[in-house]
Amino acid sequence: MTGAGSRLPEHEPTNRLTEALLHSKLSAMITDLAQYKRITIKIGSSLLVDRSDGLKSEWLQSLGEDLAGLSAQGAEILIVSSGAIALGRTILGLPPRPLKLEESQAAASVGQIALGPAYKSIFGNYGINVGQILLTLEDTEDRRRYLNARNTITTMLKWGVIPVINENDTVATSEIRYGDNDRLAARVATMMGSDLLILLSDIDGLYTKPPKENPDAEFVAIVGEITPVIEAMAGSAGSDLSRGGMVTKIEAGKVATKAGTAMVITSGIQNNPVSRLQNGKRATWFKPATNKSRARKKWIAGQLETNGTLLVDTGAKAALLHGKSLLPAGVTGVEGSFQRGDTVVIMENDRQVLGRGLVAFDATDACLIAGCQSRDIAEILGYEGRSEIIHRDDMVLETAGLQNDTITNEG
Ligand code: GLU
């Protein structure tokens, strides 16, 4: 933790000064929303759905206004929306007791179909299209499916469409599910290389102890690193409409920050929650562990097994060292049996290892296009594949210092 705000009474001038100083210091660092180019925002069920009245349309309208504003400033927005089960149970008039798995799944199907038109109409007011994505755990855990999901969402963003994402609750079973949308949102944010994850919740952030039971709990304004001490602060702060409490938010923070995504937890209870955040509203900010590209490259370098080898010529080697992607034209040999999305080693013809990366074609197709021009891929394979065999964002080079460290938003 690099700093902590206080929960001291507002009337004390010193504290106001401290808060102001702290705020301006933080503003210069991570709290300025304008700096973020790709923002994933998670909306908790209790913000969207009122148990007796159903969808909170006015609130959603105000969120739409905020997000349309961010989008007009050039940010790409992804929404991870909860609320399917809560809305479904309201529409169906189900009793306020815990639901059985199959009941939640059935309620989710009713709620989800009602959420879609609500988002469509809100963003339609601003000329923005939305698209629905329902994910199951394997869609982000299996590398090929991960790449597919990422390509689809990237295309939506390229078209200016806001993805509205939820877990596919109707088919997710208890053993294989994200379980809560904090975890899902963190996976989405890291998969899409978001630079910020906003968790809009019914609590305004992290306290040194669960605040409801502990009046002396202090508010934590910024977390530099999620240590066991921070984890211990989380306690449990869930509401009965959503599954995620502070514990799942801190878990989400670990996933996000490790991958280089900053995270903020703030209360979304009032209208225009994102504008309020922009204007310095109370929130807990979590710093990204390191910059996005290094974290992502570390993930590729450290966590995956390799499934094959691509041999490359000296021209390709020079291009890679200048931060370029690996094109089929520079590939002189393909070894091993790998699938699209697997990790392969990149070697020079003399078998000196240059690096590794996630390959965009399976071994058979890679053999067919090796040595060919990217423009001929469609004709050779009969489908429009990626023009790179390994995109530079999906690649890590061995030699420290030679590695290109920038990341683009390209697929
Ligand atoms: N996917 C669930 C829903 O839409 C929400 C899970 C959560 O609250 O975290 O109802």
Side-chain angles (χ1 to χ4, degrees):
M1 197 170 66
T2 53
S6 66
R7 222 180 150 222
L8 301 169
E10 293 248 323
H11 60 265
E12 285 190 42
T14 330
N15 297 329
R16 273 213 301 277
L17 188 64
T18 312
E19 288 241 5
L21 281 174
L22 181 66
H23 178 70
S24 66
K25 216 170 146 198
L26 297 184
S27 295
M29 290 147 60
I30 60 170
T31 62
D32 179 14
L33 281 192
Q35 72 183 292
Y36 297 108
K37 298 287 162 251
R38 188 173 278 187
I39 302 174
T40 298
I41 173 158
K42 182 256 172 176
I43 301 160
S45 299
S46 59
L47 302 178
L48 259 182
V49 182
D50 180 272
R51 189 154 274 172
S52 31
D53 297 339
L55 200 64
K56 295 184 182 170
S57 309
E58 197 192 312
W59 181 86
L60 189 57
Q61 185 82 48
S62 79
L63 178 80
E65 191 186 321
D66 284 0
L67 297 186
L70 279 185
S71 159
Q73 286 165 31
E76 291 173 314
I77 308 289
L78 297 103
I79 295 176
V80 173
S81 176
S82 301
I85 299 173
L87 185 57
R89 67 185 297 162
T90 307
I91 294 172
L92 292 162
L94 300 179
R97 58 164 170 78
L99 298 178
K100 293 189 207 136
L101 177 65
E102 63 274 20
E103 289 176 329
S104 325
Q105 289 181 312
S109 77
V110 174
Q112 190 64 44
I113 207 167
L115 278 177
Y119 278 107
K120 181 174 182 299
S121 129
I122 298 293
F123 284 100
N125 295 332
Y126 303 94
I128 299 174
N129 286 311
V130 296
Q132 175 175 280
I133 302 267
L134 298 179
L135 293 174
T136 50
L137 187 64
E138 296 97 320
D139 292 325
T140 52
E141 301 312 287
D142 176 287
R143 291 199 295 285
R144 283 179 295 282
R145 288 170 66 170
Y146 167 95
L147 285 180
N148 277 330
R150 199 181 65 170
N151 285 342
T152 306
I153 299 173
T154 302
T155 305
M156 294 169 78
L157 295 176
K158 216 190 290 170
W159 289 346
V161 174
I162 296 188
V164 178
I165 303 166
N166 197 357
E167 176 154 22
N168 193 353
D169 290 309
T170 56
V171 294
T173 55
S174 49
E175 306 79 51
I176 44 157
R177 60 182 307 148
Y178 297 99
D180 65 79
N181 277 8
D182 295 326
R183 208 152 81 101
L184 170 63
R187 289 289 177 163
V188 166
T190 58
M191 171 169 80
M192 296 312 300
S194 295
D195 35 22
L196 177 67
L197 169 62
I198 302 176
L199 298 183
L200 282 187
S201 166
D202 50 8
I203 180 155
D204 52 4
L206 177 70
Y207 288 79
T208 49
K209 302 174 204 168
K212 273 183 200 155
E213 303 92 70
N214 302 281
D216 61 330
E218 291 197 353
F219 189 76
V220 181
I222 186 162
V223 174
E225 194 190 343
I226 301 178
T227 57
V229 175
I230 297 291
E231 289 179 72
M233 293 176 182
S236 128
S239 86
D240 62 349
L241 276 184
S242 67
R243 294 202 194 88
M246 190 52 69
V247 176
T248 64
K249 288 177 179 46
I250 298 297
E251 273 172 26
K254 275 163 79 181
V255 173
T257 55
K258 262 191 203 151
T261 301
M263 188 178 92
V264 57
I265 303 174
T266 193
S267 165
I269 290 174
Q270 289 173 299
N271 287 355
N272 297 101
V274 178
S275 308
R276 286 173 194 275
L277 182 65
Q278 217 157 1
N279 295 332
K281 176 186 188 311
R282 172 174 271 197
T284 301
W285 290 83
F286 295 76
K287 285 178 159 186
T290 175
N291 76 51
K292 178 161 45 177
S293 57
R294 281 191 9 234
R296 178 178 172 74
K297 284 167 193 265
K298 228 188 266 170
W299 175 73
I300 293 172
Q303 293 189 7
L304 306 175
E305 287 171 16
T306 59
N307 303 83
T309 301
L310 297 181
L311 293 160
V312 302
D313 61 21
T314 46
K317 175 186 172 184
L320 298 189
L321 297 184
H322 281 94
K324 299 279 192 298
S325 296
L326 178 59
L327 301 178
V331 177
T332 55
V334 176
E335 296 173 359
S337 136
F338 50 83
Q339 299 296 311
R340 177 171 180 240
D342 281 350
T343 306
V344 295
V345 177
I346 308 165
M347 280 183 190
E348 280 188 81
N349 284 331
D350 63 5
R351 304 201 74 80
Q352 193 201 325
V353 175
L354 292 173
R356 55 168 65 183
L358 307 180
V359 65
F361 296 88
D362 66 24
T364 314
D365 288 355
C367 281
L368 291 171
I369 59 172
C372 299
Q373 294 301 314
S374 297
R375 61 174 175 272
D376 297 329
I377 292 176
E379 202 184 316
I380 298 168
L381 300 182
Y383 65 88
E384 198 73 52
R386 297 282 300 259
S387 48
E388 315 85 21
I389 198 158
I390 300 181
H391 192 279
R392 63 186 194 137
D393 289 351
D394 294 334
M395 187 191 302
V396 61
L397 298 184
E398 283 289 295
T399 328
L402 291 175
Q403 197 169 312
N404 170 50
D405 226 4
T406 57
I407 189 165
T408 67
N409 286 341
E410 299 160 33

